[in-house]
Amino acid sequence: MKPDKQVEAKIDALLAQMTLEEKIAQMVQIPYPMLGREESLRWAERGAGSFLHVLEKEAQEVQETALRSRLGIPVLFGIDAVRGHALNDHATIFPTQLACACTWDKDLLRRMGRVTAKEVAADGLHWTFSPLLCLARDTRWGRCNETFGEDPYLTGELASAMIQGYQGEDLADEDSILACAKHYIAYGEAVGARDACDSELTYRKIREVFLPPFQKAVDAGCATIMSAYGSIDGLPLTADACALRDILRTELGFRGFVVTDWQNVTSLVDKQFLAENADAAACLAAAAGNDMIMSSPEFFDSALRMVRSGKLSERIIEEAVRNILRIKLQMGLWERAAKSVKKADIGCEAHQSLALEMARRSLCLLKNDGVLPLTERIKSITVIGANADDIRAQYGDWTYFSHPLPHPEHPPIRPYTTIREGIETLAKTHGISCRYAYGAGPLHSEKDDLEEALDIAKQADAVIYVVGDEISQVGEGKDRADLALSGRQEELLLRLLALRVPLICVLAASKPLAICSAAAQAQAVIAAFNGGAHGGQAIAELLFGKCNPSGRLPISFPRHSGQLPVYYNQLPGWHGENNVGKYCDLPAAPLYAFGEGLGYSAFGYQNLRMDAETLTASVEVTNLGERQGLETVQIYFRDLVSSLLTPVKQLIAYEQVLLMPGETKCLSFQLRKMNFSMVNRTGERVVEPGRFLLMAGHSSKDEDLLRCEFALA
């Protein structure tokens, strides 16, 4: 965002008219469902800058009240539209961010962001708390489903595309909304994957691994950034001026505004014990560089007291208000607040079609011993598993009936298709009989009936067993110590495998789980994660060959919880095989690796070349199968000798190519010298001269990669 003299002049004029109370009120974001209508309207009269989780008529009433206040500054309405406008019960519900990341498709993410923006704007709202740029490198963490996976490069690419979709060509367009890159920074790296705990990191490591996606978000013009719950080396991000001012604004060049996460300022007092009281917490948060304070209304009185007592500079308050007003002016909030909204876009057919396309592209086929696609030789199918017929589990969290805000729970609203429904529909068109049994769910339940499931399975030509987790195991504060299949799912899996009936295992879960038995003995394994409203149809289409799967994992699967971390770009040095080490009772490799995924066509690679002068890499890719297929060509590198430890491999580029059977294409990648950089001990990103290894192939696995060495002077 470039400085705009006209906008800055308008900000100056507004600030000159504002009382101290009106300035501080602009920094306050009110949680409407928590405070209720009457108290929220009083805050609108007072001039609160933003409201959280307000929909439809309530939002209109709040805005009308704000426009009648002394200065008539409109409010920003924020909502967690993190996978579509899914807190609205008639909106389009996309797959989770982790599932979307399996597409590796920037254009799809941009289009999804555009659809979400149109639906959010059609509800009279302005701001989504998305995308999430945390890295899911320890999959015990409860919020893995909200991430783009484990890799900083892929995360930055997909997040930038989503931001562009949300914000459109111009923030002032009526169907553009504000994006919010969160959670700044390294929130997902908390010790033991315990949500919001301390991240024991150096700032060199942060610059090396966790900052690059945020740099891309800033470069993409992201309007807002959310500070994280947790802490770095013992200092909560809410109070970390180095992170929020020195790095974010000075180094990265961010010119939007920073919003805290839910009750972050209050947490400085009652959870993190950094501040003695709300007054001290308000001083710390404002001085560190937080501009808008989410869900801590007490900040208003505290900040007012601290400024009047001289303990908090009014200049800091004015700086924050300036950042907020700049965004409000850039998005033409005064003009938008005066217009009526259009509801026609919400949940429309075109948007549902994109959600189905995203669901298809998000599926990762991880194993196939030839059982898929299902053919005419299959006359009967048994579908088993609670998650096969549970739309709440299929959705995952952050939807209108699987998250507590803003609506109370109520039954799901169509359109949606469960996995069972999708399979039954396509089986009927193929003349295949299909039966369903609950079998077992992620939690022990009176519904568990293993014997019925086994009896039905014995009579089938193929069994589709759907395993996974459910909403009580997903989200904030839902970190897991054990990633094995929960409930009696593993017991039933082993008994089904013993029947010797071809078994297809579908993982409908929020994260990778330790599914070693399925990987070893099932005839096929599909990672579906949380596929949204049309996930069931997409899975059925994959099973029956209506679509050729093309998803690639953005995250690695552990064999066991104790094997973590298993992310692909680890540092070398641990005693063991491949110089990345292993436990004595487990292989070194993950169960399934970053970048892995099969289709109904295989691909061959040959002739990898690297021109060290022009930094141009090229590789030939051939479709070896009998069907048209989409391949994701992945480029990695390794610094062979460096002054600090560097990853054993790091993704630096990728491209998707559609190939006809037998077709070969030569792909060229124009790389930059900084693609081969590292962060040194002083925090500078540098490229050290020496020898490098370039790798290209189908996944991050060593056996899937071609290699060539080159030197940089």
Side-chain angles (χ1 to χ4, degrees), residues 363 383-391 393-394 416-426 434 436 464-467 506-509 528-529 531-540 543-544:
L363 297 174
V383 179
I384 298 173
N387 282 13
D389 201 34
D390 183 350
I391 191 62
Q394 182 175 308
Y416 65 81
T417 305
T418 68
I419 299 171
R420 174 189 179 181
E421 291 170 345
I423 294 172
E424 287 177 343
T425 298
L426 282 188
C434 184
Y436 170 74
I464 299 162
Y465 183 33
V466 183
V467 299
V506 178
L507 179 69
F529 296 116
H534 305 289
Q537 180 179 340
I539 290 168
L543 293 170
F544 286 95

Side-chain angles (χ1 to χ4, degrees), residues 103-415:
T103 70
W104 287 52
D105 192 320
K106 291 178 282 188
D107 183 61
L108 266 181
L109 268 296
R110 182 195 58 78
R111 290 164 59 198
M112 173 180 161
R114 193 88 291 269
V115 163
T116 302
K118 288 180 178 180
E119 297 201 5
V120 169
D123 234 348
L125 311 181
H126 318 109
W127 183 17
T128 177
F129 303 115
S130 172
L132 190 146
L133 275 64
C134 305
L135 304 182
R137 308 205 309 169
D138 188 331
T139 49
R140 295 174 297 174
W141 186 38
R143 302 189 73 172
C144 291
N145 63 309
E146 298 178 57
T147 74
F148 286 119
E150 68 189 38
D151 180 66
Y153 180 84
L154 182 62
T155 293
E157 292 292 291
L158 299 181
S160 298
M162 185 176 272
I163 289 165
Q164 291 162 3
Y166 288 145
Q167 299 190 169
E169 295 295 325
D170 189 336
L171 277 179
D173 290 343
E174 63 179 15
D175 59 357
S176 289
I177 60 174
L178 305 177
C180 183
K182 65 181 187 184
H183 306 79
Y184 184 81
I185 190 170
Y187 170 46
E189 200 72 3
V191 175
R194 293 174 295 176
D195 192 63
C197 281
D198 186 57
S199 298
E200 294 177 333
L201 294 167
T202 65
Y203 269 105
R204 191 207 74 81
K205 185 75 169 183
I206 285 169
R207 285 184 170 90
E208 177 88 14
V209 178
F210 303 98
L211 199 61
F214 283 92
Q215 179 68 75
K216 287 185 178 179
V218 170
D219 293 345
C222 191
T224 72
I225 283 178
M226 182 183 290
S227 54
Y229 282 124
S231 56
I232 295 171
D233 197 22
L235 180 62
L237 268 300
T238 318
D240 193 339
C242 174
L244 296 178
R245 292 188 180 276
D246 299 346
I247 297 177
L248 180 59
R249 293 199 180 273
T250 303
E251 289 186 28
L252 270 61
F254 178 63
R255 280 183 52 79
F257 70 79
V258 174
V259 60
T260 72
D261 207 338
W262 180 272
Q263 295 186 337
N264 268 19
V265 176
T266 307
S267 294
L268 291 174
V269 180
D270 61 16
K271 287 190 175 74
Q272 296 169 316
F273 310 109
L274 201 77
E276 185 175 2
N277 51 44
D279 291 3
C283 284
L284 286 170
N290 297 280
D291 302 310
M292 185 169 283
I293 312 302
M294 179 191 290
S295 301
S296 295
E298 61 272 22
F299 173 86
F300 178 85
D301 290 330
S302 292
L304 192 61
R305 281 192 294 270
M306 292 295 95
V307 173
R308 286 175 173 168
S309 69
K311 295 180 181 178
L312 178 61
S313 169
E314 188 169 354
R315 180 191 60 79
I316 289 175
I317 299 296
E318 288 189 350
E319 178 188 27
V321 177
R322 181 176 291 276
N323 292 333
I324 294 166
L325 291 177
R326 181 181 300 116
I327 296 300
K328 288 188 174 184
L329 286 163
Q330 286 176 341
M331 73 180 307
L333 194 59
W334 279 257
E335 295 78 8
R336 291 173 69 157
K339 293 180 179 179
S340 59
V341 297
K342 300 179 296 183
K343 297 288 186 181
D345 282 337
I346 296 179
C348 68
E349 184 177 347
H351 294 178
Q352 298 291 350
S353 294
L354 180 62
L356 174 57
E357 182 182 357
M358 183 68 83
R360 289 169 176 147
R361 293 285 307 282
S362 71
L363 297 174
C364 291
L365 179 60
L366 300 176
K367 180 182 181 181
N368 184 16
D369 284 351
V371 69
L372 296 178
L374 299 173
T375 64
E376 63 278 356
R377 71 177 183 275
I378 300 294
K379 302 301 181 183
S380 61
I381 292 172
T382 295
V383 179
I384 298 173
N387 282 13
D389 201 34
D390 183 350
I391 191 62
R392 187 187 299 268
Q394 182 175 308
Y395 278 178
D397 64 351
W398 292 112
T399 73
Y400 64 90
F401 80 120
S402 59
H403 197 81
L405 297 172
H407 287 308
E409 290 189 10
H410 61 72
I413 293 175
R414 301 282 182 177

Side-chain angles (χ1 to χ4, degrees), residues 434-455:
C434 184
R435 300 178 69 185
Y436 170 74
Y438 183 92
L443 304 179
H444 288 279
S445 167
E446 293 179 356
K447 294 182 180 180
D448 288 352
D449 192 341
L450 277 63
E451 300 308 323
E452 180 193 14
L454 290 163
D455 286 343

